[in-house]
Amino acid sequence: DGVPLLVAELTRAAVVAHFIDARTLQPGARLLAAAGGDASLADVAQRATLFAIMDECMPSTLDAAVLAQVDTCAPHTRVVAQCAAVAGMEFTRALVTAVVDDVRIDVAAALAELVDA
């Protein structure tokens, strides 16, 4: 579970940060801009600069990658995510609804947003 999931989440984070073009998996707009339009990484100094930019902006752990995705969600969805996290790896919508304890929050919609995040 761990390594493939980490690769998938870091790739998603790189796409979201425009480091990788989602369609081609080639260098994205942010890397191209930082490289002055050339992300061939032929120059050692250029590579160091690009890697420093990525290191600063990319999550370094699976937890950080997942939290970065959750941070893009609506505030009520983050509340649902926190309540679901308390339940562990598996939970039911009914359990999360009981834990959320806020009738203004549509738990089903929030869970759907988390799935799509």
Side-chain angles (χ1 to χ4, degrees):
D1 281 344
V3 173
L5 180 59
L6 176 61
V7 170
E9 290 301 324
L10 291 180
T11 301
R12 181 191 318 226
V15 169
V16 168
H18 303 289
F19 289 129
I20 298 174
D21 184 292
R23 292 167 291 150
T24 64
L25 296 181
Q26 296 299 311
R30 194 166 184 181
L31 281 185
L32 290 172
D38 174 22
S40 65
L41 302 178
D43 180 79
V44 174
Q46 182 183 32
R47 273 198 307 268
T49 300
L50 294 177
F51 290 140
I53 291 168
M54 289 179 69
D55 188 46
E56 187 177 304
C57 300
M58 290 290 295
S60 59
T61 65
L62 179 57
D63 290 348
V66 171
L67 288 174
Q69 288 299 109
V70 172
D71 284 345
T72 67
C73 295
H76 67 275
T77 300
R78 292 194 301 268
V79 168
V80 170
Q82 290 169 343
C83 292
V86 171
M89 293 291 291
E90 295 182 18
F91 53 84
T92 64
R93 183 173 53 189
L95 174 62
V96 175
T97 301
V99 173
V100 167
D101 195 33
D102 187 340
V103 296
R104 298 171 296 168
I105 295 178
D106 182 347
V107 172
L111 289 172
E113 183 181 357
L114 287 168
V115 169
D116 292 339

